[in-house]
Amino acid sequence: MRQSQLGDSRPYYTSVLWWSGVVLMGLGELGNFAAYGFAPASLIAPLGCVSVIASAVISVVFLKETLRASDVVGGALAVVGTYLLVTFAPHTSTHITAHLVQRYAVSWQFLIYLFLEVVVFSILLYLYKRRNIKHITIVMLLVALLASLTVISVKAVSGMITESIKGDLQLTYPIFYVMVVVMVASCAFQIKFLNQAMKMFDATEVVPINFVFFTASAITAGMLFNQNSANWPVPLPQVRCLPRTQLIGQCHYCRYVV
């Protein structure tokens, strides 16, 4: 934005400031990746609320977007929802090994979930590409479905690397490299759809909706893949209600009714 205002025709990737941002973002994501090796996804995913609040501040300070009273209320509710999710999430994580990942990947719960996800993703992609329906909910659901695969694969890869560092080598198993491919591919397509969403809609709409959908898909996929629903310290019907507080908060950010 600064280069365009100054009439500078050089590509943005020649800017030192831009590369500084990329490096900082990479360090942050590296820490996020490492966290999956030590804690369950249902505990880590809700903490992304920090990025939502930060994005709201950044959009006002740097992008000169308007801060409304509903944004402040929404941010407060999002923080409350995150607190509830983190408080009631399981705080113990299973040691992830290659054999455990293989067993989880062929469990009937996860296979049914994966089949339903493929069907829903195909329908949404058809509506988005063929029917040319450019609604923000459709794009964000595509991202969320890919994100569930990303969370599963990141959890598996990070966990197996952690076990390898501890002395139990897991990098010789084919399932490790399968999960690496799934992780990279799902991340790449997520970035593609997110970039398209950012071009069509405001950041104040994309970021909060993406966070809510990502959190819901991460918790669901994590419980089904890791089969850790029994570890929740409160009944699951009560836990499933907790993201609604976040959803109510995030809706205050958005101009669309989700």
Side-chain angles (χ1 to χ4, degrees), residues 5 18 23 29 54 56 65 68 102 106 108 152 163 189 229:
Q5 292 173 355
W18 185 83
V23 171
E29 291 304 319
E65 295 184 5
R68 299 160 295 184
Q102 290 174 344
V106 297
W108 66 268
I152 290 170
E163 292 299 312
F189 282 103
S229 58

Side-chain angles (χ1 to χ4, degrees), residues 96-108 110-111 152 156 160 170 172-179 225-227:
I96 301 297
T97 63
H99 292 297
L100 196 62
V101 172
Q102 290 174 344
R103 180 162 65 85
Y104 287 164
V106 297
S107 63
W108 66 268
F110 179 68
L111 290 177
I152 290 170
M160 285 188 279
Q170 303 291 317
T172 58
Y173 294 93
I175 190 65
F176 173 80
Y177 300 98
V178 171
M179 287 297 173
F225 183 76
N226 297 325
Q227 302 174 14

Side-chain angles (χ1 to χ4, degrees), residues 24-40:
L24 290 173
M25 185 172 62
L27 290 174
E29 291 304 319
L30 183 62
N32 191 42
F33 173 82
Y36 280 97
F38 300 96

Side-chain angles (χ1 to χ4, degrees), residues 7 23 27 47 64 67 71 84-85 88 109 142 202 229 252:
V23 171
L27 290 174
L47 294 176
K64 307 304 179 183
L67 180 66
D71 297 334
L84 293 175
L85 280 168
F88 293 113
Q109 300 100 318
L142 288 170
D202 289 341
S229 58
H252 281 277

Side-chain angles (χ1 to χ4, degrees), residues 8-239:
D8 193 344
S9 60
R10 292 180 300 172
Y12 62 88
Y13 51 80
T14 61
S15 169
V16 175
L17 184 62
W18 185 83
W19 279 109
S20 300
V22 171
V23 171
L24 290 173
M25 185 172 62
L27 290 174
E29 291 304 319
L30 183 62
N32 191 42
F33 173 82
Y36 280 97
F38 300 96
S42 52
L43 180 61
I44 297 171
L47 294 176
C49 176
V50 176
S51 67
V52 178
I53 304 301
S55 296
V57 175
I58 290 171
S59 64
V60 173
V61 176
F62 294 99
L63 302 181
K64 307 304 179 183
E65 295 184 5
T66 304
L67 180 66
R68 299 160 295 184
S70 59
D71 297 334
V72 178
V73 175
L77 289 174
V79 171
V80 172
T82 299
Y83 170 78
L84 293 175
L85 280 168
V86 172
T87 300
F88 293 113
H91 291 74
T92 58
S93 182
T94 306
H95 295 287
I96 301 297
T97 63
H99 292 297
L100 196 62
V101 172
Q102 290 174 344
R103 180 162 65 85
Y104 287 164
V106 297
S107 63
W108 66 268
Q109 300 100 318
F110 179 68
L111 290 177
I112 292 175
Y113 171 79
L114 188 61
F115 172 76
L116 293 175
E117 180 171 304
V118 171
V119 172
V120 174
F121 185 86
S122 300
I123 294 173
L124 292 173
L125 191 62
Y126 172 77
L127 294 175
Y128 180 63
K129 291 293 187 181
R130 296 295 184 181
R131 294 293 185 178
N132 200 34
I133 301 178
K134 306 295 185 182
H135 197 279
I136 189 171
T137 305
I138 292 180
V139 185
M140 290 297 96
L141 282 174
L142 288 170
V143 175
L145 292 174
L146 289 169
S148 66
L149 295 179
T150 303
V151 168
I152 290 170
S153 56
V154 166
K155 176 67 178 175
V157 172
S158 181
M160 285 188 279
I161 290 177
T162 301
E163 292 299 312
S164 298
I165 293 174
K166 291 179 180 178
D168 186 9
L169 187 62
Q170 303 291 317
L171 308 186
T172 58
Y173 294 93
I175 190 65
F176 173 80
Y177 300 98
V178 171
M179 287 297 173
V180 169
V181 172
V182 173
M183 179 180 66
V184 173
S186 58
C187 283
F189 282 103
Q190 272 189 86
I191 293 172
K192 176 183 177 181
F193 286 120
L194 274 175
N195 282 337
Q196 293 175 2
M198 291 296 287
K199 290 179 181 178
M200 293 186 290
F201 309 101
D202 289 341
T204 52
E205 298 166 355
V206 174
V207 174
I209 294 177
N210 179 56
F211 170 66
V212 172
F213 286 178
F214 169 79
T215 303
S217 66
I219 293 175
T220 303
M223 286 195 300
L224 290 173
F225 183 76
N226 297 325
Q227 302 174 14
N228 64 352
S229 58
N231 296 331
W232 285 83
V234 293
L236 274 181
Q238 182 178 346
V239 172

